[in-house]
């Protein structure tokens, strides 16, 4: 089973100075309010964050629902916008591998992978022994996931009190948090170059192809960084 | 009414399945991956670049309410927050809280 010592150590990451709790809360409060405004009830809003737990995907879902597109179109749009989770999972799970740990832990806990939990785990994994990393990760993931779920409910309940100014204020917090975490992560050449190239290419490709811009920008930017960064 | 709400449940399930798929395939394909291999390093670069692309897009071409504030103000707020982050020895509470307040103020009084 999951070792509670390492689980709680992971969970504690919510209390540290680089805690993702504020940024997550702001963005999921906004999602909760949005879901209420488009006609979801509170159980459905809860279920959405509980089962999806990926902000851009939930936004696309809300937009598609409003214009009334088909389920297959929703599937494709969400898959495309959340495809970043694939390289993110591939670049995290091998760091947590341990032969003695059961496989279900990996297949279940990948649901807890989001930008916030990923950035924290990438920053912290070296501080935990290989054997216990998966339990530590489950702690981090459970903490961020729970924060997102509770914030969705809070946003749903508060939606009548949130005016446009507040919604705009809430919307900037997440990009600011991610941007700062990424700058904090720039401690080797590969990562630094990847971040710089991605940040330039993402918006550039957006002008050409909005839907594919993040994948194109990310794959091209990452590949350039991989080659330019050299062997180290 | 029941029609609409069963529709919403279907929409949620489809969204969740499309999202979990990428996570699941990520676990499957990383199963035998060695962290010292070139392919792992390449994926690592792509993951960081994809995130940077996503975040830059959220700021430069935002969807939703954020697009109602001018680009120059958004960029100013981001630069200010990064400066605070570095000055506050990488504390994340100050820049995140201040960014929301600053954006709201600039948006209304500039």
């Amino acid at each position: 089973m999951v070792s509670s010592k390492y689980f709680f150590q992971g969970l504690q990451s919510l209390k540290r100075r680089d805690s993702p709790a504020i940024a997550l809360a702001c963005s999921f409060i906004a999602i909760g309010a949005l879901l209420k405004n488009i006609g979801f009830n509170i159980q459905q809003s809860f279920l959405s964050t509980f089962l999806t737990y990926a902000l851009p995907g939930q936004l696309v879902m809300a937009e598609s629902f409003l214009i009334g597109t088909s389920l297959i179109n929703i599937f494709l749009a969400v898959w495309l916008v959340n495809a970043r989770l694939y390289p993110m999972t591939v670049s995290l799970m091998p760091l947590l591998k341990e032969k003695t740990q059961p496989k279900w832990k990996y297949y279940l806990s990948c649901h807890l992978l989001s930008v916030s939990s990923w950035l924290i785990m990438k920053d912290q994994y070296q501080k935990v022994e290989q054997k216990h990393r998966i339990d530590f990760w489950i702690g981090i993931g459970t903490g961020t996931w729970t924060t997102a779920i509770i914030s969705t409910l809070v946003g749903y309940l508060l939606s009548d009190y949130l005016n446009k100014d507040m919604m705009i204020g809430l919307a900037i917090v997440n990009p600011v948090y991610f941007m700062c975490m990424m700058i904090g992560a720039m401690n080797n050449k590969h990562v630094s170059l990847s971040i710089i190239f991605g940040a330039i290419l993402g918006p550039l490709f957006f002008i050409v192809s909005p839907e594919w811009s993040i994948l194109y920008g990310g794959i091209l930017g990452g590949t350039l960084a991989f080659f330019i960064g050299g062997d180290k | 009414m029941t029609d609409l709400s069963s529709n919403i449940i279907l929409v949620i399930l489809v969204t969740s399945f499309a999202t979990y798929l990428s996570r699941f395939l990520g676990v499957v394909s990383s199963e035998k991956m060695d962290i010292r291999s070139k392919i792992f390093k390449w994926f690592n670069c792509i993951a960081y670049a994809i995130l940077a692309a996503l975040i830059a897009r959220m700021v430069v071409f935002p969807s939703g309410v954020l697009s109602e504030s001018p680009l120059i103000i958004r960029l100013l707020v981001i630069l200010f927050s990064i400066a605070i982050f570095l000055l506050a020895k990488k504390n994340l509470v100050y820049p995140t809280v201040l960014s929301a307040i600053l954006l709201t103020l600039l948006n209304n009084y500039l």
Side-chain angles (χ1 to χ4, degrees):
Chain A
M1 282 317 279
V2 179
S3 142
S4 59
K5 181 182 163 207
Y6 292 95
F7 175 85
F8 282 109
Q9 252 183 38
L11 199 62
Q12 298 268 336
S13 62
L14 282 182
K15 292 198 321 203
R16 296 176 341 137
R17 52 199 269 137
D18 61 353
S19 166
I22 293 174
L24 266 172
C26 289
S27 43
F28 280 93
I29 284 175
I31 271 280
L34 176 74
L35 291 178
K36 181 172 186 195
N37 291 336
I38 66 169
F40 279 39
N41 65 28
I42 193 160
Q43 294 92 329
Q44 291 157 345
S45 306
F46 165 85
L47 202 64
S48 173
T49 301
F50 185 88
L51 289 179
T52 307
Y53 181 45
L55 206 65
Q58 286 172 272
L59 283 174
V60 167
M61 174 194 75
E63 282 165 16
S64 317
F65 178 74
L66 267 187
I67 39 174
T69 37
S70 66
L71 285 176
I72 183 81
N73 278 333
I74 294 180
F75 176 85
L76 290 173
V78 171
W79 175 77
L80 191 61
V81 81
N82 280 340
R84 69 174 187 293
L85 293 167
Y86 176 72
M88 287 169 69
T89 310
V90 174
S91 61
L92 185 70
M93 286 303 172
L95 301 171
L96 319 179
K97 270 275 131 69
E98 173 63 34
K99 284 199 185 88
T100 53
Q101 294 280 8
K103 280 194 176 169
W104 62 262
K105 281 190 183 176
Y106 298 88
Y107 284 97
L108 265 188
S109 71
C110 69
H111 176 62
L112 308 175
L113 195 145
S114 64
V115 180
S116 316
S117 56
W118 186 87
L119 282 167
I120 295 212
M121 191 62 201
K122 283 292 233 186
D123 187 49
Q124 295 284 313
Y125 77 91
Q126 278 164 322
K127 296 182 183 154
V128 185
E129 270 178 86
Q130 180 104 26
K131 203 163 64 174
H132 301 296
R133 281 181 191 164
I134 184 72
D135 293 337
F136 182 76
W137 158 249
I138 293 171
I140 292 181
T142 306
T144 51
W145 183 50
T146 316
T147 308
I149 294 169
I150 295 171
S151 307
T152 307
L153 296 175
V154 170
Y156 188 94
L157 297 171
L158 286 183
S159 76
D160 291 342
Y161 304 98
L162 293 171
N163 62 29
K164 183 155 264 168
D165 280 338
M166 290 161 145
M167 292 296 276
I168 293 177
L170 287 178
I172 193 75
V173 174
N174 216 25
V176 164
Y177 176 79
F178 289 159
M179 195 79 90
C180 291
M181 277 300 275
M182 298 214 85
I183 287 173
M186 289 167 86
N187 50 20
N188 78 57
K189 207 170 161 193
H190 274 127
V191 172
S192 307
L193 286 174
S194 304
I195 292 173
I196 292 166
F197 291 150
I200 296 169
L201 291 173
L204 276 184
F205 275 114
F206 187 88
I207 301 167
V208 192
S209 164
E211 296 92 1
W212 291 89
S213 60
I214 291 167
L215 286 185
Y216 285 165
I219 293 170
L220 184 63
T223 307
L224 280 174
F226 175 75
F227 285 113
I228 296 174
D231 250 351
K232 264 193 114 183
Chain B
M1 194 61 211
T2 31
D3 242 23
L4 181 69
S5 71
S6 65
N7 231 336
I8 292 180
I9 299 290
L10 262 182
V11 166
I12 293 171
L13 290 178
V14 165
T15 304
S16 304
F17 177 67
T19 305
Y20 183 72
L21 192 62
S22 294
R23 292 173 171 136
F24 174 82
L25 291 175
V27 179
V28 174
S29 32
S30 65
E31 191 107 8
K32 294 210 166 68
M33 206 174 273
D34 179 1
I35 56 169
R36 282 155 303 187
S37 64
K38 287 228 152 102
I39 183 137
F40 179 75
K41 285 182 183 145
W42 181 56
F43 265 104
N44 199 40
C45 289
I46 289 184
Y48 276 106
I50 257 185
L51 282 194
L54 173 74
I55 296 154
R57 204 228 62 202
M58 283 164 87
V59 175
V60 183
F61 299 106
S63 54
V65 283
L66 206 52
S67 59
E68 289 174 34
S69 67
L71 175 64
I72 183 77
I73 290 185
R74 296 195 299 264
L75 291 176
L76 272 175
V77 172
I78 293 280
L79 288 177
F80 169 81
S81 310
I82 291 172
I84 298 281
F85 171 69
L86 297 174
L87 285 174
K89 299 199 176 99
K90 307 203 169 169
N91 183 307
L92 274 151
V93 178
Y94 301 126
T96 44
V97 172
L98 288 174
S99 68
I101 298 169
L102 187 68
L103 181 68
T104 314
L105 286 178
L106 288 179
N107 221 12
N108 280 302
Y109 300 105
L110 211 70

